[in-house]
Amino acid sequence: MDLEHLKYPVGRWQKPQEYPLVQIQGWINELKALPGQIESALDGRGDEIYTYRYRPGGWTLRQLIHHVADSHMNAYVRHKLAFTENQPRICAYLEQEWAKLEDVEMINPKISVVLLGALHTRWTVFLESIQNEQWDFQFLHPEHNRLISLKESVSMYAWHSRHHLAHIKIALSQPS
């Protein structure tokens, strides 16, 4: 596989032109499914897999799984802020630095899978409560220097879920 495919195995995220409610529900369903899909991929495997990488120079499976939990916790909070405040400026974080923190090295990634299960249960119930024009509520992302709507963000995180699930599967299929 070439490096671009290893970096973006499901392709790069592309902003949708339209946001039909049926598509939004599909993205929510992807978020619902992710924790179980990760758990199934890891099922029956030993802890040695957490050193595997999906590409040379990429994160280890340990870092990757903890990253998904960190990222999705931030997304959940961002979504609730956008829903309850008028275009709040959200807080960005340094993903690469978070991946180096002590908890990433010390905590078994299965803890982050459990965390994702609970988080995605809360997050998807919240998302399913959003009605029509409420999907247009926005937050200001300082890195992108623009407003991002809830509907755009949920599409990003559905992609993010597919993206990193593919990374996990690649890492498990060719340990390094």
Side-chain angles (χ1 to χ4, degrees):
M1 280 190 236
D2 66 31
L3 187 58
E4 181 69 10
H5 180 74
L6 291 174
K7 283 184 179 180
Y8 299 100
V10 299
R12 293 178 185 260
W13 178 78
Q14 295 184 11
K15 183 177 178 178
Q17 297 297 312
E18 297 179 357
Y19 298 88
L21 290 177
V22 68
Q23 180 61 66
I24 291 171
Q25 185 59 54
W27 293 325
I28 294 169
N29 289 340
E30 288 185 65
L31 294 173
K32 278 184 186 178
L34 180 66
Q37 291 170 324
I38 294 174
E39 191 172 353
S40 291
L42 302 177
D43 192 41
R45 299 177 184 261
D47 288 349
E48 74 282 354
I49 64 169
Y50 299 127
T51 62
Y52 297 177
R53 296 179 190 272
Y54 61 94
R55 69 176 169 87
W59 282 337
T60 63
L61 201 51
R62 168 182 297 283
Q63 290 171 308
L64 183 62
I65 293 167
H66 287 309
H67 160 73
V68 174
D70 290 341
S71 175
H72 290 201
M73 282 189 289
N74 274 282
Y76 174 61
V77 170
R78 291 169 179 178
H79 287 179
K80 290 187 88 167
L81 287 170
F83 196 82
T84 59
E85 299 178 22
N86 184 23
Q87 298 180 340
R89 179 184 175 92
I90 57 97
C91 192
Y93 69 102
L94 301 175
E95 297 173 353
Q96 294 294 335
E97 296 305 311
W98 283 38
K100 299 174 192 172
L101 295 175
E102 191 72 15
D103 63 320
V104 171
E105 283 303 313
M106 299 299 296
I107 302 294
N108 189 305
K110 290 178 183 175
I111 296 297
S112 280
V113 177
V114 171
L115 175 60
L116 276 169
L119 175 65
H120 279 230
T121 298
R122 294 249 348 244
W123 191 15
T124 57
V125 167
F126 165 70
L127 292 172
E128 288 177 333
S129 76
I130 297 173
Q131 302 293 310
N132 303 318
E133 68 281 347
Q134 293 171 330
W135 284 105
D136 293 324
F137 292 177
Q138 302 171 316
F139 57 82
L140 176 62
H141 197 298
E143 278 182 1
H144 303 294
N145 198 31
R146 69 179 183 90
L147 291 168
I148 298 174
S149 69
L150 288 174
K151 62 190 176 190
E152 180 181 349
S153 184
V154 79
S155 78
M156 287 179 194
Y157 283 97
W159 170 86
H160 190 257
S161 297
R162 288 189 307 275
H163 172 69
H164 286 311
L165 182 60
H167 283 154
I168 291 167
K169 289 177 178 180
I170 290 168
L172 293 172
S173 72
Q174 48 184 313
S176 55

